[in-house]
């Protein structure tokens, strides 16, 4: 029996005119639509006069529903996967379904469209050549602290999602961990009250301590200045003896020749200088 195809289908993040012709056709022709919130998706389908059967698939039922969807695909049924808004598979259980499907040799494809993080990035005024997507910061204190520690010296632009009731706490956590940093706050993207605020962490905290946060937010945070970071790291390396510096790398399993090369790079000198210093 020929297997079905799993299609990850992007839907509008606000403005319904952002749906693609292909997305409408695929959702109309599919045997099933797997949706994060069937009530929410039903409104979208009604708007475009789509009558395809809905199946609930979300974070809390993915363990039992995932295998059921895989079985339907094996039986030759075509399934479109959607999230509440935007592209499925990013910060949602679509990722798990894709893994299951590929493990079973099922074809997985996508009908691309809106992604809130990319939409926010390109209108943010922040650097777009290099960026990372962090989604929502973890709610667990330890995990959150680990993520923030990694972001402290991140030189790429950082994209974060946040809900209104957690926005101030997240801004406070970012400010405490990273210091002040350029920031663009976007909310209600593609909707009537879309807002783009280019500011800083400090100014954003002042603003939202006066104004109640409302709407769904995407934060686009500037990365750390690379030159400043390099100078700071060089200063920290210079506080070590060359032998101690080399030991940092050899203790991690690096051979001495590679360690010397890395130390020279860290300290901004030639490898010959490092060799001469340790054999003086």
């Amino acid at each position: 029996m020929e297997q079905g195809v799993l299609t990850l289908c992007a839907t509008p993040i606000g403005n319904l005119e952002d749906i693609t012709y292909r997305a409408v056709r695929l959702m109309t022709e599919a045997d099933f639509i797997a949706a994060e919130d069937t009530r929410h998706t039903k409104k979208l389908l009604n708007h475009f006069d789509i009558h395809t059967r809905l199946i609930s698939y979300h974070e809390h039922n993915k363990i039992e529903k995932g295998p059921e969807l895989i079985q339907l695909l094996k039986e030759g049924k075509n399934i479109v996967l959607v999230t509440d808004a935007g592209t499925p598979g990013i910060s949602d259980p679509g990722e798990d379904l894709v893994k299951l499907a590929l493990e079973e040799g099922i074809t997985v494809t996508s009908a691309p469209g809106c992604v809130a993080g990319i939409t926010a990035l390109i209108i943010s005024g922040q650097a777009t050549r290099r960026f990372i997507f962090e989604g929502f910061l973890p709610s667990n204190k330890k995990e959150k602290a680990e993520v923030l520690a990694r972001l402290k010296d991140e030189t790429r632009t950082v994209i974060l999602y946040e809900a209104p009731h957690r926005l101030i706490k997240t801004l406070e956590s970012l400010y405490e961990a990273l210091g002040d940093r350029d920031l663009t706050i976007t909310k209600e993207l593609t909707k009537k009250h879309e807002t783009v605020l280019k500011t800083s962490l400090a100014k954003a905290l002042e603003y939202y301590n006066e104004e109640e946060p409302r709407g769904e937010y995407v934060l686009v945070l500037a990365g750390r200045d690379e030159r400043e970071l390099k100078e700071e790291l060089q200063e920290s390396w210079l506080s070590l003896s060359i032998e101690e510096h080399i030991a940092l790398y050899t203790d991690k399993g690096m051979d001495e020749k590679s360690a010397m090369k890395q130390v020279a790079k860290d300290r901004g000198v030639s490898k010959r200088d490092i060799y001469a210093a340790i054999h003086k």
Side-chain angles (χ1 to χ4, degrees), residues 163-272:
H165 65 280
R166 297 203 327 172
L167 179 67
I168 293 176
K169 182 63 179 175
T170 292
L171 291 173
E172 288 173 344
S173 298
L174 289 168
Y175 185 77
E176 289 169 9
L178 314 180
D180 204 8
R181 196 75 75 79
D182 283 345
L183 169 72
T184 302
I185 298 180
T186 70
K187 71 171 184 174
E188 300 297 277
L189 290 167
T190 77
K191 299 178 184 177
K192 183 178 180 181
H193 300 292
E194 176 179 280
T195 302
V196 180
L197 176 64
K198 196 166 189 300
T199 181
S200 68
L201 282 170
K203 289 178 181 177
L205 275 170
E206 288 179 16
Y207 179 81
Y208 284 108
N209 279 317
E210 297 292 331
E211 299 287 334
E212 181 184 358
R214 293 180 180 177
E216 298 301 315
Y217 291 86
V218 182
L219 311 181
V220 185
L221 185 68
R224 181 135 187 227
D225 182 87
E226 290 192 42
R227 185 179 298 176
E228 179 186 283
L229 176 61
K230 185 176 180 181
E231 290 174 355
E232 186 178 297
L233 287 173
Q234 280 187 339
E235 286 181 16
S236 67
W237 296 137
L238 293 174
S239 67
L240 299 173
S241 69
I242 290 176
E243 289 79 4
E244 289 171 332
H245 197 166
I246 291 173
L248 281 177
Y249 293 114
T250 55
D251 288 348
K252 294 177 181 177
M254 190 180 286
D255 63 80
E256 188 174 13
K257 184 178 179 181
S258 298
M260 288 172 60
K261 184 177 180 180
Q262 184 59 50
V263 168
K265 184 178 179 182
D266 290 345
R267 299 171 88 96
V269 297
S270 70
K271 185 180 172 184
R272 183 179 297 175

Side-chain angles (χ1 to χ4, degrees), residues 30-55:
D31 295 294
F32 299 97
I33 296 174
E36 189 174 12
D37 184 335
T38 54
R39 291 169 301 178
H40 181 89
T41 300
K42 187 68 176 175
K43 295 176 183 177
L44 177 72
L45 300 188
N46 287 340
H47 182 83
F48 291 103
D49 196 29
I50 298 170
H51 304 285
T52 306
R53 182 179 169 186
L54 284 166
I55 297 177

